[in-house]
Amino acid sequence: MYLKDFLAQEKTDKNLAEVILFLSSQAQDVKKGFLAAARNAIADEKTKNMYGEEQMALDKYADGIFINGLKKTRLVRSIATEEQDHIIEIENPKNDFGIVIDPLDGSSLIDVNLCVGTIIGICKGSVLDAGKDMIAAMYILYGPLTTLTVSAGSGVHEFAMDEAGEFFLRQRDIRIPEGKIYAPGALRKDYLPAHAQWIARLEAAGYKLRFSGSFVADVHQILHKGGVFTYPGFAGKEKGKLRLLFEANPMGKIITDAGGATSNGKTAILSVKPEKIDQRTPVYIGGKKEIASIETFMRER
Ligand code: AHG
Ligand code: MN
Ligand code: MN
């Protein structure tokens, strides 16, 4: 079954379904950018740093695809993206939705052809709404398959792109299983004490390390195999590295809707009211058991 038919069958709000379908259709253009960058890289293979700049440009390229498409279709009122320092307001919008986007997550892995993705949250109104008020979240993963994972009020479902660029249903009602994978960001030497103890506890319990450097891919693996991803606050950067609006909230909604949980170490990330679009947050995301355990460690310190 195709995404369009699935959304209709699930009785997804018509306007919301239109936004999800439009955003998913942009994946093909993002993929064209990967190919173009690879071709340029070969042409410029003598200038290694030039290739580096191409990688940077792909973030902007993907950003442009989503922003220009949304401006043209006027499907949403406002857009906040990781690549822009201000909220973009659309003139004469058809809906009141606010969209938050990390157009390309894991972009440092493009040159080595590892998995990267696009992360999107859809707010009913303001892009600065708390994560729990988002009406939908989705991510596109550009891997061996191009997949779309979406949560829009009726559970978490995964689709895969076919030869014609259409997304067909691959897995319905995904629930995060129990599992023993941990994906720990930041440098061990900078860990704060409670975090260090919690990591030691996971290791003693036999958790296996899986960290690629692509948040979206690492959390996707946790969604399917269980365990926990963390990019904590650390010495010198107590708020961590990852962004509340563009990374933590949309992925947090998907994991939470699949039966998992999120935390900043103290409280659920989705309950935090953002103050600014580029706000950072410590991130713990995965199984309920692991998230409860880090909050206990943090409380007891
Ligand atoms: P982005 O590519 O959007 O800038 O995000 C990169 C993020 C995230 O994907 C990943 O988990 C993290 O940065 C990796 O950081 P380290 O290089 O510090 O491990
Ligand atoms: Mn990112
Ligand atoms: Mn990014």
Side-chain angles (χ1 to χ4, degrees):
M1 183 188 300
Y2 283 110
L3 177 63
K4 186 172 187 226
D5 304 320
F6 183 85
L7 292 170
Q9 182 190 289
E10 296 291 303
K11 301 200 169 32
T12 310
D13 172 80
K14 223 171 89 284
N15 298 331
L16 175 60
E18 198 182 351
V19 173
I20 293 170
L21 283 167
F22 174 74
L23 293 167
S24 71
S25 73
Q26 303 301 85
Q28 270 183 305
D29 282 348
V30 174
K31 282 164 62 106
K32 282 181 199 153
F34 299 149
L35 203 54
R39 291 210 163 104
N40 286 346
I42 291 164
D44 294 315
E45 69 187 353
K46 272 183 268 167
T47 48
K48 278 267 156 45
N49 60 340
M50 173 69 190
Y51 186 39
E53 280 163 30
E54 283 295 337
Q55 298 317 299
M56 290 302 287
L58 270 179
D59 283 357
K60 297 276 179 208
Y61 168 81
D63 196 45
I65 286 178
F66 289 102
I67 293 174
N68 295 336
L70 288 168
K71 276 187 177 163
K72 217 162 152 183
T73 54
R74 295 184 291 109
L75 284 172
V76 306
R77 179 177 293 278
S78 53
I79 313 167
T81 92
E82 194 187 87
E83 301 298 327
Q84 309 286 332
D85 58 9
H86 61 284
I87 298 172
I88 298 166
E89 303 288 348
I90 308 281
E91 265 177 56
N92 202 11
K94 293 179 187 157
N95 303 297
D96 279 330
F97 301 130
I99 300 273
V100 289
I101 308 184
D102 181 349
L104 214 50
D105 178 64
S107 46
S108 74
L109 299 180
I110 287 173
D111 56 347
V112 289
N113 195 31
L114 286 180
C115 208
V116 298
T118 298
I119 305 173
I120 303 173
I122 304 175
C123 310
K124 200 168 180 190
S126 167
V127 294
L128 287 169
D129 282 349
K132 65 177 165 46
D133 296 326
M134 282 185 301
I135 50 172
M138 58 195 267
Y139 63 85
I140 299 160
L141 208 60
Y142 310 98
L145 290 172
T146 299
T147 59
L148 169 79
T149 303
V150 62
S151 177
S154 72
V156 177
H157 315 288
E158 186 174 297
F159 299 80
M161 191 190 273
D162 70 8
E163 300 85 340
E166 292 290 320
F167 283 100
F168 63 90
L169 183 62
R170 183 163 185 246
Q171 194 178 342
R172 190 190 279 268
D173 282 322
I174 300 170
R175 304 294 294 172
I176 182 170
E178 294 246 337
K180 286 195 169 179
I181 287 177
Y182 78 124
L187 298 182
R188 189 174 282 260
K189 71 176 177 62
D190 297 331
Y191 284 175
L192 302 176
H195 181 80
Q197 283 178 7
W198 176 74
I199 289 284
R201 180 70 69 87
L202 294 177
E203 287 167 351
Y207 278 69
K208 263 191 197 169
L209 188 143
R210 294 280 188 271
F211 189 87
S212 74
S214 166
F215 173 65
V216 62
D218 290 335
V219 174
H220 175 78
Q221 180 166 202
I222 302 287
L223 170 66
H224 283 278
K225 298 192 173 167
V228 64
F229 173 98
T230 171
Y231 208 115
F234 54 91
K237 223 174 179 181
E238 278 69 14
K239 293 201 167 116
K241 174 181 183 184
L242 298 182
R243 282 137 293 216
L244 175 61
L245 260 67
F246 314 120
E247 288 160 330
N249 271 343
M251 296 306 284
K253 175 173 172 58
I254 287 171
I255 289 283
T256 303
D257 291 348
T262 66
S263 180
N264 56 17
K266 293 193 178 77
T267 183
I269 290 175
L270 297 182
S271 67
V272 174
K273 171 84 179 92
E275 280 158 16
K276 49 180 189 164
I277 59 172
D278 61 349
Q279 193 162 328
R280 313 257 170 175
T281 178
V283 170
Y284 296 87
I285 175 167
K288 276 189 176 145
K289 187 176 74 185
E290 290 82 358
I291 301 305
S293 137
I294 182 61
E295 288 191 349
T296 308
F297 271 90
M298 291 280 192
R299 252 195 319 273
E300 286 171 1
R301 291 286 316 179

